[in-house]
Amino acid sequence: MRTFTNPLTRRGLFRSAAGAGLGAGSTSGWLRALAAGAPKKPAKSVIVLWLDGGPATIDLWDLKPGHANGGPFRAIDTAAPGLKIGEHLPKLAKLGKDLVVVRSMSTKEGDHGRATYLLRTGYTPLGAIQYPAAGAVIAKELGAEAGDLPNFVSVAPARNAASGGGFLGPQFDPLVVGELTAPQDGLKVPDLARTAGVGDDAQRARLELLAGAERQFAAGRESAVAGSVRAATARAVRLMKPEAAAAFDLEQEKPKARDAYGRGLFGQGCLLARRLVERGVPFVEVTLDGWDTHNNNFDRVKDLCGALDAGFAALLADLKDRGLLDSTLVVCQGEFGRTPKINGQSGRDHWPASWAVALAGGGLKTGQAVGRTSADGTAVEDKPRGVPDLIATVAKAVGIDPKKQNMSNVGRPIRVADPDAEPIQELL
């Protein structure tokens, strides 16, 4: 038997093919087939752009021009043939080949809190089970346990955000950066800097004192709580290292780059998300609040689109320029859509029956729309999809088995995605 001891190189591949008697035409066909069969590398990070309040996706991703439900906005062409989006997203339109829009999302939860819980965890609230957010699951599966940076970061989190680590434990809760209630404070990590006047020796002494107190507390009562406290302390100390803290310092970016993202909380949050995934953080979410447009929907959506278009487009362009787009999955979503029918206050109300979500990167098949709603936007007519399907798709994109189980706080194994979930194959 012949043994191959040298690694297969490109030149060696062609030489071997020629030696086997393959002609030029058959060689190219064979190579194309070989390449087509090669599995794609899973993405390493996920960025969720959370549009809090329930965005009117009928005005963003699935317009109905010419119908009474369509409103005043026009649909514009994107760089992807056949894919149209709202006129107030012109920068994203230029990146249409990097986008995929699922226009056939359908759920049953029309309450903000319950719908947010569903979108964040993949499950509806159920009794005593403390479901973890998808970010916590991905942090657990992909994150570095002893890394300097947190594995789950939430920028200006939504008021109805699900409970972080849930039954996985508080060590998988997100690090919160920026507060919607105090946007003037910017994107600073709370209490990251030392107290003024505390030098290296004093800091070391304080940490040793704290470690002794934690050991004394844990003695004789070893528990998940004690372990979580020690883990949280260790991670906080690592995050205070200058090289780790620098990841959150947006002043290191050129002013032109910061301007491209938009100087608001959302735009700068998108820039921070890029800095974090560039350094290996597996899950970052950035919130853009204000989408609960029961009145004056069109003016408000137009204003919000200014921030969304700038931040989302700059993020995609930046990831692409840095060679990070294929390894970073970006998901833009809210908790549901809004009514196709326009109410008496020129607004749109809650509507979970038919809505859309936009995705990019992560090795997905982009430049297309998946699914279809009716001409009036009120119903899904083709390829209906639920939240568990979306969660399963995200899991597959990052190399996590959606059927993998984790033990819950009630002693019952729970899958990453609901047992009935089916990944959206058109995306993968």
Side-chain angles (χ1 to χ4, degrees):
M1 172 181 273
R2 185 178 178 184
T3 302
F4 293 92
T5 58
N6 295 324
L8 186 61
T9 64
R10 182 180 179 186
R11 181 178 297 175
L13 181 64
F14 279 100
R15 185 180 295 128
S16 299
L22 297 171
S26 59
T27 301
S28 61
W30 174 62
L31 289 174
R32 283 196 299 271
L34 182 66
K40 291 183 177 180
K41 292 182 179 180
K44 299 177 181 179
S45 300
V46 177
I47 298 174
V48 170
L49 306 181
W50 181 261
L51 310 186
D52 191 46
T57 60
I58 190 173
D59 298 316
L60 302 175
W61 314 117
D62 187 19
L63 281 75
K64 302 297 178 182
H67 194 280
N69 292 348
F73 294 167
R74 296 181 301 109
I76 59 173
D77 292 326
T78 71
L83 177 62
K84 293 177 180 289
I85 61 176
E87 65 175 302
H88 300 298
L89 300 170
K91 295 177 181 177
L92 279 171
K94 295 178 181 178
L95 299 171
K97 291 182 179 179
D98 299 312
L99 287 173
V100 55
V101 178
V102 179
R103 290 176 172 162
S104 51
M105 295 297 298
S106 183
T107 54
K108 296 180 179 179
E109 298 293 346
D111 170 77
H112 285 296
R114 290 180 62 86
T116 296
Y117 194 97
L118 172 62
L119 263 294
R120 293 294 180 84
T121 67
Y123 290 89
T124 53
L126 181 63
I129 299 179
Q130 299 168 4
Y131 291 105
V137 175
I138 291 174
K140 175 180 179 293
E141 296 296 327
L142 303 186
E145 187 174 347
D148 291 343
L149 291 172
N151 292 312
F152 179 7
V153 176
S154 181
V155 181
R159 57 186 179 276
N160 293 309
S163 56
F167 60 65
L168 295 179
Q171 66 270 34
F172 298 107
D173 285 352
L175 172 71
V176 175
V177 182
E179 295 285 355
L180 286 175
T181 55
Q184 70 275 6
D185 294 338
L187 297 178
K188 297 179 180 178
V189 179
D191 305 316
L192 184 61
R194 295 179 186 174
T195 302
V198 177
D200 290 343
D201 291 342
Q203 176 81 345
R204 191 176 305 109
R206 291 183 177 195
L207 291 174
E208 289 174 356
L209 182 63
L210 176 61
E214 287 183 343
R215 285 193 298 268
Q216 185 177 1
F217 172 78
R221 56 162 68 90
E222 193 63 34
S223 66
V225 173
S228 296
V229 169
R230 289 198 300 271
T233 300
R235 184 164 290 270
V237 171
R238 293 195 299 271
L239 183 57
M240 292 175 70
K241 294 179 180 179
E243 57 271 26
F248 296 89
D249 184 7
L250 298 183
E251 294 296 330
Q252 295 185 3
E253 296 287 334
K254 295 179 179 179
K256 185 177 180 180
R258 298 189 67 180
D259 291 342
Y261 277 86
R263 289 284 183 159
L265 196 58
F266 176 74
Q268 296 302 287
C270 290
L271 175 55
L272 177 58
R274 188 271 289 164
R275 289 177 62 85
L276 292 174
V277 300
E278 193 172 30
R279 290 160 173 80
V281 175
F283 194 95
V284 186
E285 63 180 9
V286 185
T287 295
L288 179 58
D289 193 25
W291 296 91
D292 198 13
T293 54
H294 289 281
N295 55 70
N296 199 22
N297 173 81
F298 301 103
D299 287 342
R300 292 169 65 185
V301 168
K302 180 180 177 180
D303 288 343
L304 288 163
C305 279
L308 176 61
D309 192 40
F312 194 173
L315 175 63
L316 294 188
D318 210 353
L319 290 171
K320 196 170 185 177
D321 288 345
R322 294 167 183 267
L324 295 170
L325 189 54
D326 281 345
S327 63
T328 306
L329 174 62
V330 183
V331 185
C332 182
Q333 63 182 42
E335 60 264 43
F336 40 60
R338 306 200 76 81
T339 51
K341 185 177 180 180
I342 303 165
N343 66 28
Q345 290 77 45
S346 295
R348 297 188 188 273
D349 301 315
H350 300 183
W351 189 256
S354 52
W355 51 286
V357 58
L359 305 95
L364 299 185
K365 296 177 181 177
T366 55
Q368 61 166 333
V370 174
R372 184 182 67 251
T373 53
S374 56
D376 62 2
T378 59
V380 173
E381 289 189 339
D382 184 45
K383 298 182 174 64
R385 291 296 184 179
V387 172
D389 301 329
L390 180 62
I391 296 289
T393 304
V394 171
K396 291 282 285 186
V398 296
I400 299 173
D401 183 359
K403 297 180 180 180
K404 182 175 181 178
Q405 296 179 334
N406 290 296
M407 190 58 64
S408 72
N409 58 298
V410 297
R412 170 185 162 190
I414 301 293
R415 293 187 181 186
V416 170
D418 185 272
D420 294 330
E422 296 183 3
I424 306 173
Q425 293 301 327
E426 293 88 349
L427 272 61
L428 299 171

